[in-house]
Amino acid sequence: MSARETPGRGAAASAFFVGYLPTPRPLAVFVALAAAAMAGIGVGAGLALALAQQDHGKGRFAFDLGYQSLAGVVQARPYPVLRLPPGPDGEGPRTIVLSGRGKRGVFPRAAELDGERADVGGVFVIRDGARLLQVGGRVGMRPAKEPAALEGFAPAPDVPLGRFRLRGEILDSKCYLGAMRPGRGKVHMSCAGLCLMGGIPPMFAVYRDGRPPDLLLLAGPDGGPIPEDMLDSVSLYVALEGEVSRRDDLLVFRVDPASLEAL
C-alpha cells in the first residue's frame, strides 16, 4: 500500500452509511426495495389471513324488521319459548325461543306466565331461517291485553320422533344466531359458558356439509333444563344420545347426560 492510499476509500466506502452525510445511492436503492418488499409481504399476509377465515354466517339482530310484538302462549320448560298460533297467511304454528338482554335469560318471568296467554315484545336474532326473540322494550313479557284474540288456540303436544345419537356442538342460542361472531367453537367457549349460566337457552348444532346445521333446543332427561355439569362441554364437538321431539317448527333434544362423549 502506498503512502498516498487511504484504507476505506473507493466503491465499498461510498456505500457505507454515515448519519451526518447524504445516504449513498446504492444503499438508498437497497432500503427502498427492501421496504417495498416488506410492505408487499405484509399486505399479502393480511389478505391470506382474511381469505383463510371461516365464514361465520349471516346471523344478525334483525333491527331492519323493527320491534316485534307477538301474542301467544308462554311455555317455560325446558327453556322459555312462545307458542304462536297459525298465521293469517296459512303459516303453521310456530315456537319462538326467548332470551333476555345481554347474557340473561327470561326464566323467572316466563315461569310466572307458564301456560298462559301473553304478549311478548322484542327484537329478533336470526340466522339461516332460525329465530330467537330478545325480550325487552315497551311490551316485554306480560299477560295478554287481548286474550280473546287467542281464543281457541291450544298449543299442540310435542311429537316424538325417536331416539338418536347425534354429533355436534353445544352452544348458546343467542350468540350463535347472531349476537356474536363467531358464536361457536373454542374461541367462543368463555362467552358461551357465561350466557348459558345466565339462562340463555342452549342448543345443539348438528353440522352438515354444504347446508346450515340442524339446531335442536336442549333439554335434560326430565324435560327440564340440562344439568349444570354439561356446561363444561360447551363449544366442544361431542356426541349425545336422547329423545328428539318436534314442537311446531322447533326440534327439542331431551338428552341423557351419561351419553356425552367428547370427540
Side-chain angles (χ1 to χ4, degrees), residues 23-75:
T23 302
R25 180 176 178 80
L27 185 58
V29 172
F30 171 78
V31 170
L33 292 175
M38 293 300 293
I41 291 172
V43 172
L47 289 173
L49 287 173
L51 294 174
Q53 293 297 308
Q54 293 182 351
D55 181 7
H56 298 306
K58 299 180 180 179
R60 61 190 175 88
F61 280 97
F63 295 114
D64 54 309
L65 300 180
Y67 185 83
Q68 304 291 315
S69 181
L70 308 173
V73 174
V74 171
Q75 290 182 342

Short mmCIF file of all heavy atoms in Angstrom, two decimals, residues 23-75:
data_model
loop_
_atom_site.label_atom_id
_atom_site.label_comp_id
_atom_site.label_asym_id
_atom_site.label_seq_id
_atom_site.Cartn_x
_atom_site.Cartn_y
_atom_site.Cartn_z
N THR A 23 -27.19 9.85 2.24
CA THR A 23 -27.24 8.39 2.10
C THR A 23 -26.68 7.99 0.75
O THR A 23 -27.09 8.52 -0.29
CB THR A 23 -28.69 7.88 2.21
OG1 THR A 23 -29.22 8.29 3.45
CG2 THR A 23 -28.74 6.36 2.11
N PRO A 24 -25.73 7.08 0.73
CA PRO A 24 -25.19 6.62 -0.57
C PRO A 24 -26.29 6.05 -1.45
O PRO A 24 -27.21 5.38 -0.97
CB PRO A 24 -24.17 5.56 -0.16
CG PRO A 24 -23.83 5.87 1.26
CD PRO A 24 -25.08 6.43 1.86
N ARG A 25 -26.19 6.29 -2.74
CA ARG A 25 -27.23 5.87 -3.67
C ARG A 25 -27.47 4.35 -3.64
O ARG A 25 -28.61 3.91 -3.57
CB ARG A 25 -26.88 6.33 -5.09
CG ARG A 25 -27.93 5.93 -6.13
CD ARG A 25 -27.58 6.49 -7.50
NE ARG A 25 -28.55 6.05 -8.48
CZ ARG A 25 -29.74 6.59 -8.66
NH1 ARG A 25 -30.11 7.61 -7.89
NH2 ARG A 25 -30.57 6.14 -9.57
N PRO A 26 -26.43 3.51 -3.68
CA PRO A 26 -26.70 2.06 -3.64
C PRO A 26 -27.46 1.64 -2.38
O PRO A 26 -28.36 0.79 -2.43
CB PRO A 26 -25.30 1.45 -3.69
CG PRO A 26 -24.44 2.49 -4.32
CD PRO A 26 -24.99 3.80 -3.83
N LEU A 27 -27.11 2.25 -1.25
CA LEU A 27 -27.79 1.91 -0.02
C LEU A 27 -29.24 2.40 -0.03
O LEU A 27 -30.16 1.71 0.44
CB LEU A 27 -27.04 2.50 1.17
CG LEU A 27 -27.57 2.13 2.57
CD1 LEU A 27 -27.58 0.63 2.76
CD2 LEU A 27 -26.74 2.82 3.65
N ALA A 28 -29.48 3.58 -0.58
CA ALA A 28 -30.83 4.12 -0.66
C ALA A 28 -31.72 3.23 -1.53
O ALA A 28 -32.88 2.97 -1.21
CB ALA A 28 -30.80 5.54 -1.22
N VAL A 29 -31.17 2.76 -2.66
CA VAL A 29 -31.92 1.86 -3.53
C VAL A 29 -32.27 0.56 -2.81
O VAL A 29 -33.40 0.05 -2.86
CB VAL A 29 -31.14 1.58 -4.83
CG1 VAL A 29 -31.82 0.49 -5.65
CG2 VAL A 29 -30.99 2.86 -5.65
N PHE A 30 -31.26 0.01 -2.09
CA PHE A 30 -31.49 -1.24 -1.35
C PHE A 30 -32.58 -1.07 -0.30
O PHE A 30 -33.48 -1.91 -0.16
CB PHE A 30 -30.20 -1.70 -0.70
CG PHE A 30 -30.38 -2.85 0.25
CD1 PHE A 30 -30.54 -4.14 -0.23
CD2 PHE A 30 -30.43 -2.64 1.62
CE1 PHE A 30 -30.75 -5.20 0.64
CE2 PHE A 30 -30.64 -3.69 2.50
CZ PHE A 30 -30.80 -4.97 2.00
N VAL A 31 -32.53 0.02 0.46
CA VAL A 31 -33.53 0.26 1.51
C VAL A 31 -34.92 0.42 0.90
O VAL A 31 -35.92 -0.10 1.42
CB VAL A 31 -33.15 1.49 2.35
CG1 VAL A 31 -34.29 1.88 3.28
CG2 VAL A 31 -31.89 1.21 3.15
N ALA A 32 -35.04 1.13 -0.23
CA ALA A 32 -36.33 1.32 -0.88
C ALA A 32 -36.91 0.00 -1.34
O ALA A 32 -38.10 -0.29 -1.16
CB ALA A 32 -36.19 2.29 -2.05
N LEU A 33 -36.06 -0.84 -1.96
CA LEU A 33 -36.53 -2.14 -2.43
C LEU A 33 -36.93 -3.04 -1.26
O LEU A 33 -37.95 -3.74 -1.31
CB LEU A 33 -35.44 -2.81 -3.28
CG LEU A 33 -35.13 -2.16 -4.62
CD1 LEU A 33 -33.95 -2.87 -5.30
CD2 LEU A 33 -36.36 -2.19 -5.53
N ALA A 34 -36.13 -3.02 -0.19
CA ALA A 34 -36.45 -3.84 0.99
C ALA A 34 -37.76 -3.39 1.63
O ALA A 34 -38.59 -4.21 2.03
CB ALA A 34 -35.30 -3.77 2.00
N ALA A 35 -37.98 -2.07 1.72
CA ALA A 35 -39.21 -1.55 2.30
C ALA A 35 -40.43 -1.95 1.47
O ALA A 35 -41.47 -2.34 1.99
CB ALA A 35 -39.12 -0.04 2.45
N ALA A 36 -40.28 -1.84 0.13
CA ALA A 36 -41.38 -2.22 -0.75
C ALA A 36 -41.69 -3.71 -0.62
O ALA A 36 -42.85 -4.13 -0.59
CB ALA A 36 -41.04 -1.87 -2.20
N ALA A 37 -40.62 -4.53 -0.52
CA ALA A 37 -40.82 -5.97 -0.37
C ALA A 37 -41.52 -6.29 0.93
O ALA A 37 -42.45 -7.12 0.98
CB ALA A 37 -39.48 -6.69 -0.46
N MET A 38 -41.12 -5.65 2.04
CA MET A 38 -41.74 -5.90 3.33
C MET A 38 -43.21 -5.46 3.33
O MET A 38 -44.08 -6.12 3.89
CB MET A 38 -40.97 -5.17 4.43
CG MET A 38 -39.57 -5.72 4.68
SD MET A 38 -39.58 -7.46 5.17
CE MET A 38 -40.39 -7.32 6.76
N ALA A 39 -43.47 -4.32 2.68
CA ALA A 39 -44.86 -3.85 2.58
C ALA A 39 -45.71 -4.85 1.80
O ALA A 39 -46.84 -5.17 2.16
CB ALA A 39 -44.91 -2.47 1.94
N GLY A 40 -45.13 -5.36 0.68
CA GLY A 40 -45.86 -6.34 -0.11
C GLY A 40 -46.13 -7.61 0.66
O GLY A 40 -47.24 -8.19 0.60
N ILE A 41 -45.13 -8.06 1.43
CA ILE A 41 -45.32 -9.26 2.24
C ILE A 41 -46.40 -9.03 3.29
O ILE A 41 -47.26 -9.89 3.54
CB ILE A 41 -43.98 -9.66 2.91
CG1 ILE A 41 -42.99 -10.15 1.86
CG2 ILE A 41 -44.21 -10.73 3.98
CD1 ILE A 41 -41.60 -10.39 2.40
N GLY A 42 -46.40 -7.85 3.91
CA GLY A 42 -47.42 -7.54 4.92
C GLY A 42 -48.82 -7.54 4.34
O GLY A 42 -49.75 -8.11 4.91
N VAL A 43 -48.97 -6.88 3.18
CA VAL A 43 -50.29 -6.85 2.53
C VAL A 43 -50.72 -8.25 2.11
O VAL A 43 -51.87 -8.66 2.32
CB VAL A 43 -50.27 -5.90 1.31
CG1 VAL A 43 -51.56 -6.02 0.52
CG2 VAL A 43 -50.06 -4.46 1.76
N GLY A 44 -49.79 -9.00 1.54
CA GLY A 44 -50.13 -10.37 1.12
C GLY A 44 -50.51 -11.25 2.29
O GLY A 44 -51.47 -12.03 2.21
N ALA A 45 -49.78 -11.13 3.42
CA ALA A 45 -50.11 -11.93 4.60
C ALA A 45 -51.48 -11.55 5.16
O ALA A 45 -52.26 -12.41 5.57
CB ALA A 45 -49.03 -11.74 5.67
N GLY A 46 -51.77 -10.24 5.14
CA GLY A 46 -53.08 -9.81 5.61
C GLY A 46 -54.22 -10.36 4.76
O GLY A 46 -55.24 -10.82 5.28
N LEU A 47 -54.04 -10.32 3.43
CA LEU A 47 -55.06 -10.87 2.54
C LEU A 47 -55.21 -12.37 2.73
O LEU A 47 -56.32 -12.90 2.73
CB LEU A 47 -54.70 -10.55 1.09
CG LEU A 47 -54.84 -9.09 0.65
CD1 LEU A 47 -54.29 -8.92 -0.76
CD2 LEU A 47 -56.30 -8.65 0.72
N ALA A 48 -54.07 -13.06 2.91
CA ALA A 48 -54.13 -14.51 3.10
C ALA A 48 -54.88 -14.86 4.37
O ALA A 48 -55.70 -15.78 4.39
CB ALA A 48 -52.72 -15.09 3.13
N LEU A 49 -54.61 -14.11 5.45
CA LEU A 49 -55.31 -14.38 6.71
C LEU A 49 -56.80 -14.10 6.58
O LEU A 49 -57.64 -14.83 7.10
CB LEU A 49 -54.70 -13.52 7.82
CG LEU A 49 -53.32 -13.95 8.32
CD1 LEU A 49 -52.77 -12.91 9.28
CD2 LEU A 49 -53.39 -15.32 8.99
N ALA A 50 -57.14 -13.01 5.88
CA ALA A 50 -58.55 -12.67 5.71
C ALA A 50 -59.28 -13.73 4.90
O ALA A 50 -60.39 -14.14 5.24
CB ALA A 50 -58.69 -11.31 5.04
N LEU A 51 -58.65 -14.21 3.82
CA LEU A 51 -59.28 -15.21 2.97
C LEU A 51 -59.36 -16.57 3.66
O LEU A 51 -60.22 -17.39 3.32
CB LEU A 51 -58.52 -15.33 1.65
CG LEU A 51 -58.56 -14.09 0.74
CD1 LEU A 51 -57.65 -14.28 -0.46
CD2 LEU A 51 -59.99 -13.80 0.29
N ALA A 52 -58.46 -16.80 4.60
CA ALA A 52 -58.44 -18.10 5.29
C ALA A 52 -59.47 -18.18 6.41
O ALA A 52 -59.70 -19.26 6.95
CB ALA A 52 -57.05 -18.37 5.85
N GLN A 53 -60.08 -17.04 6.77
CA GLN A 53 -61.06 -17.06 7.86
C GLN A 53 -62.30 -17.85 7.46
O GLN A 53 -62.75 -17.81 6.32
CB GLN A 53 -61.47 -15.63 8.23
CG GLN A 53 -60.35 -14.81 8.83
CD GLN A 53 -59.86 -15.38 10.14
OE1 GLN A 53 -60.64 -15.64 11.04
NE2 GLN A 53 -58.57 -15.57 10.23
N GLN A 54 -62.85 -18.56 8.45
CA GLN A 54 -64.08 -19.30 8.21
C GLN A 54 -65.24 -18.33 8.04
O GLN A 54 -65.23 -17.22 8.57
CB GLN A 54 -64.38 -20.24 9.37
CG GLN A 54 -63.39 -21.38 9.53
CD GLN A 54 -63.78 -22.30 10.67
OE1 GLN A 54 -64.68 -22.00 11.45
NE2 GLN A 54 -63.10 -23.42 10.77
N ASP A 55 -66.24 -18.77 7.31
CA ASP A 55 -67.46 -17.99 7.17
C ASP A 55 -68.27 -18.16 8.45
O ASP A 55 -68.72 -19.26 8.78
CB ASP A 55 -68.26 -18.50 5.96
CG ASP A 55 -69.55 -17.71 5.75
OD1 ASP A 55 -69.74 -16.70 6.46
OD2 ASP A 55 -70.36 -18.10 4.89
N HIS A 56 -68.43 -17.08 9.19
CA HIS A 56 -69.15 -17.15 10.46
C HIS A 56 -70.65 -16.96 10.30
O HIS A 56 -71.38 -16.77 11.28
CB HIS A 56 -68.60 -16.12 11.44
CG HIS A 56 -67.15 -16.34 11.78
ND1 HIS A 56 -66.69 -17.54 12.26
CD2 HIS A 56 -66.06 -15.53 11.70
CE1 HIS A 56 -65.38 -17.47 12.47
NE2 HIS A 56 -64.98 -16.27 12.12
N GLY A 57 -71.13 -17.05 9.07
CA GLY A 57 -72.57 -17.00 8.83
C GLY A 57 -73.11 -15.58 8.77
O GLY A 57 -72.39 -14.60 8.96
N LYS A 58 -74.39 -15.49 8.53
CA LYS A 58 -75.04 -14.20 8.36
C LYS A 58 -76.02 -13.91 9.50
O LYS A 58 -77.02 -13.21 9.31
CB LYS A 58 -75.76 -14.16 7.01
CG LYS A 58 -74.82 -14.33 5.82
CD LYS A 58 -75.56 -14.29 4.50
CE LYS A 58 -74.59 -14.46 3.33
NZ LYS A 58 -75.27 -14.44 2.02
N GLY A 59 -75.73 -14.46 10.67
CA GLY A 59 -76.58 -14.17 11.82
C GLY A 59 -76.53 -12.70 12.19
O GLY A 59 -75.49 -12.05 12.07
N ARG A 60 -77.65 -12.18 12.69
CA ARG A 60 -77.71 -10.74 12.98
C ARG A 60 -78.90 -10.42 13.86
O ARG A 60 -79.86 -11.19 13.97
CB ARG A 60 -77.84 -9.94 11.68
CG ARG A 60 -79.10 -10.28 10.90
CD ARG A 60 -79.11 -9.69 9.50
NE ARG A 60 -80.26 -10.12 8.74
CZ ARG A 60 -81.45 -9.49 8.74
NH1 ARG A 60 -81.60 -8.39 9.45
NH2 ARG A 60 -82.44 -9.94 8.01
N PHE A 61 -78.82 -9.28 14.52
CA PHE A 61 -80.00 -8.67 15.12
C PHE A 61 -80.83 -8.07 13.98
O PHE A 61 -80.32 -7.26 13.21
CB PHE A 61 -79.61 -7.57 16.10
CG PHE A 61 -79.19 -8.07 17.45
CD1 PHE A 61 -77.85 -8.23 17.76
CD2 PHE A 61 -80.13 -8.39 18.42
CE1 PHE A 61 -77.45 -8.68 18.99
CE2 PHE A 61 -79.74 -8.85 19.66
CZ PHE A 61 -78.41 -9.00 19.95
N ALA A 62 -82.07 -8.46 13.88
CA ALA A 62 -82.91 -8.04 12.75
C ALA A 62 -83.59 -6.70 13.05
O ALA A 62 -84.83 -6.60 13.08
CB ALA A 62 -83.94 -9.12 12.43
N PHE A 63 -82.78 -5.67 13.27
CA PHE A 63 -83.35 -4.35 13.54
C PHE A 63 -84.12 -3.84 12.34
O PHE A 63 -85.03 -3.00 12.48
CB PHE A 63 -82.24 -3.37 13.90
CG PHE A 63 -81.53 -3.69 15.19
CD1 PHE A 63 -80.21 -4.07 15.19
CD2 PHE A 63 -82.20 -3.63 16.41
CE1 PHE A 63 -79.55 -4.37 16.38
CE2 PHE A 63 -81.56 -3.93 17.60
CZ PHE A 63 -80.23 -4.30 17.58
N ASP A 64 -83.77 -4.34 11.13
CA ASP A 64 -84.47 -3.90 9.94
C ASP A 64 -85.93 -4.37 9.93
O ASP A 64 -86.76 -3.79 9.23
CB ASP A 64 -83.76 -4.41 8.69
CG ASP A 64 -83.57 -5.92 8.71
OD1 ASP A 64 -83.06 -6.44 9.72
OD2 ASP A 64 -83.94 -6.59 7.73
N LEU A 65 -86.23 -5.42 10.70
CA LEU A 65 -87.61 -5.90 10.79
C LEU A 65 -88.42 -5.14 11.81
O LEU A 65 -89.64 -5.32 11.90
CB LEU A 65 -87.62 -7.40 11.12
CG LEU A 65 -86.93 -8.33 10.12
CD1 LEU A 65 -87.04 -9.77 10.59
CD2 LEU A 65 -87.54 -8.17 8.73
N GLY A 66 -87.75 -4.30 12.60
CA GLY A 66 -88.44 -3.49 13.58
C GLY A 66 -88.75 -4.24 14.86
O GLY A 66 -88.47 -5.43 15.01
N TYR A 67 -89.34 -3.52 15.79
CA TYR A 67 -89.73 -4.10 17.08
C TYR A 67 -90.90 -5.05 16.87
O TYR A 67 -91.87 -4.73 16.18
CB TYR A 67 -90.11 -2.98 18.04
CG TYR A 67 -90.41 -3.45 19.44
CD1 TYR A 67 -89.37 -3.66 20.35
CD2 TYR A 67 -91.72 -3.67 19.85
CE1 TYR A 67 -89.64 -4.08 21.64
CE2 TYR A 67 -91.99 -4.10 21.14
CZ TYR A 67 -90.95 -4.31 22.04
OH TYR A 67 -91.22 -4.73 23.32
N GLN A 68 -90.81 -6.23 17.48
CA GLN A 68 -91.84 -7.24 17.33
C GLN A 68 -92.71 -7.32 18.58
O GLN A 68 -92.20 -7.33 19.70
CB GLN A 68 -91.20 -8.61 17.10
CG GLN A 68 -90.25 -8.68 15.92
CD GLN A 68 -90.99 -8.55 14.60
OE1 GLN A 68 -92.01 -9.18 14.38
NE2 GLN A 68 -90.44 -7.73 13.71
N SER A 69 -94.02 -7.36 18.40
CA SER A 69 -94.96 -7.59 19.50
C SER A 69 -95.82 -8.79 19.11
O SER A 69 -96.61 -8.72 18.16
CB SER A 69 -95.84 -6.36 19.74
OG SER A 69 -96.73 -6.59 20.81
N LEU A 70 -95.63 -9.90 19.82
CA LEU A 70 -96.27 -11.16 19.47
C LEU A 70 -97.19 -11.62 20.58
O LEU A 70 -96.90 -11.43 21.77
CB LEU A 70 -95.19 -12.23 19.22
CG LEU A 70 -94.09 -11.87 18.23
CD1 LEU A 70 -93.02 -12.95 18.22
CD2 LEU A 70 -94.67 -11.68 16.84
N ALA A 71 -98.28 -12.25 20.20
CA ALA A 71 -99.24 -12.79 21.16
C ALA A 71 -99.27 -14.30 21.02
O ALA A 71 -99.45 -14.83 19.92
CB ALA A 71 -100.64 -12.21 20.93
N GLY A 72 -99.11 -15.00 22.13
CA GLY A 72 -99.12 -16.46 22.10
C GLY A 72 -99.20 -17.03 23.50
O GLY A 72 -99.61 -16.35 24.44
N VAL A 73 -98.77 -18.26 23.63
CA VAL A 73 -98.78 -18.95 24.92
C VAL A 73 -97.34 -19.22 25.34
O VAL A 73 -96.55 -19.78 24.57
CB VAL A 73 -99.57 -20.28 24.83
CG1 VAL A 73 -99.46 -21.07 26.13
CG2 VAL A 73 -101.03 -20.00 24.50
N VAL A 74 -97.01 -18.81 26.56
CA VAL A 74 -95.66 -18.99 27.08
C VAL A 74 -95.52 -20.40 27.65
O VAL A 74 -96.40 -20.91 28.35
CB VAL A 74 -95.36 -17.95 28.18
CG1 VAL A 74 -94.04 -18.26 28.89
CG2 VAL A 74 -95.32 -16.55 27.58
N GLN A 75 -94.39 -21.03 27.36
CA GLN A 75 -94.00 -22.29 28.00
C GLN A 75 -92.59 -22.11 28.54
O GLN A 75 -91.70 -21.64 27.83
CB GLN A 75 -94.07 -23.45 27.02
CG GLN A 75 -95.51 -23.82 26.64
CD GLN A 75 -95.59 -25.01 25.71
OE1 GLN A 75 -94.62 -25.39 25.07
NE2 GLN A 75 -96.78 -25.60 25.61
#
